[in-house]
Amino acid sequence: MQHRRSDFPEGFEFGTATSSYQIEGHGFGGAGPTHWDTFAATPGNVVRAENGARACDHYHRYEADLDLVQAAGFDCYRFSTSWARVLPEGRGTPNPEGLDFYDRLTDAMLERGIKPCATLYHWELPAPLADLGGWTNRDIALWFADFTEVIMGRIGDRMHSVAPINEPWCVAWISHFLGLHAPGLRDIRATARAMHHVLLAHGTAIQTMRGMGMKNLGAVFNMEWPQPVDDSPEAAGAAATYDGYYNRFYLDGVFKGRYPDTVLAGMEQHLPRGWQNDFPVIDSAVDWCGINYYTRKVIAPNDGPWPSLDEVEGPLPKTFMDWEIYPEGLYRFLKRTAAEYTGDLPLIVTENGLAAPDLLQNGRVSDPGRVAFLDQHMAAIKRAIDEGVPVGGYYIWSLLDNYEWALGYEKRFGLVHVDFDSLVRTPKDSYHALARALKE
Ligand code: FCB
């Protein structure tokens, strides 16, 4: 690894990220059913119909996993709290075992000198709330505020930072428009409602936590750089539409209290009545902005209905996800987000990493591609910092190989290899390289 901790400003935080459903083992500890369980149980949705019932068994092995976070020299650990583990019915009576788990997890981080960075929701919606329409039901903003109060009432006093929702685009678009994630809908009206309600829920959670006196609250957005397929005005228009519903809709909502015209053009008639009145909640002040960055998309116009575009294959080298490797996009997003949305607010790269086949051979996993990828993205961050962008941290996705949603356990993103039969953990070469870089 070419970079060292000393290449970054004093106080810059290195972290690694995971999420509850992807690692904990949702079959343990009294967690309720989630819409990912039902999505995975429906044939054709998930590779080999795999689910998160056991995952990495982090629920029982969290201490050893946090030892790995500590030994690598990370400052922060970005984890998420499962709504269905805390409130198996989504509302009402909490599951004491679930609250106890996050309490123990928090203390285990603190004992190791690791800063706990919580995400309240990383996609495992309690199934009973899905029955009520899930993200298409406006009441979810109130249910989510209640969940926020319950879980943060227990661990909020010890959090370094908190973000309500991981990746609103994924909660709304890939799940209700593309149908590739739970609940697997392909419906523009449901999508528009989910897009609006996910931001409303973000805002109610921020207000709830402010009311509890909590600090260092943020929002985490996933961003993909929209690359027009050619120089035509039509391609530029298609890329702007993609940029609108992928990136700008959520940033505009949270930081400007409005929605972009590129999105309203196709979706205004599907938004819930009175959406304009919700911005005072949606644009509640946050203390930092998280960016999850993996790739760009090459966008071509088509003659079909809105959004009238296709994603086409690009020419760059790709990861095991078939995602083009484009570190320049991270640099451009850091610059653009600061210039157009967040100004002096700290930006945190809350996720970045890649999937590779990562074979375990003779007790070792050689993953030079991951080391190079991380180096390229650190260079992009450094370039933005050198040009004055206030980037405060870099968190790698992910600590462990884990349940990669609809792609099951096949796509390995971890710095640490997991054998999904024996559950044995083996730090990969990239983990060791990072550990050296963070210590020096
Ligand atoms: C992000 C998700 C995370 C993981 C990575 C690869 O969109 O937040 O759970 O799936 O992608």
Side-chain angles (χ1 to χ4, degrees), residues 19 22 78 122-123 166-167 170 222 292 294 321 323 351 397 404-405 413:
S19 90
Q22 292 178 275
R78 177 172 175 256
H122 199 126
W123 310 351
N166 180 64
E167 304 189 343
C170 286
N222 54 317
N292 292 355
Y294 291 93
M321 295 290 276
W323 293 346
E351 284 182 28
W397 184 272
E404 182 45 40
W405 308 112
F413 273 92

Side-chain angles (χ1 to χ4, degrees), residues 35 83 89-92 125-144 176 183 185 193 197:
H35 71 171
W83 191 340
E89 294 294 321
R91 299 177 290 177
L125 187 72
L129 300 183
D131 297 339
L132 299 174
W135 290 102
T136 68
N137 186 334
R138 181 183 175 84
D139 289 345
I140 197 158
L142 304 175
W143 306 332
F144 189 59
H176 297 81
L185 297 184
R193 274 139 213 273
H197 295 149

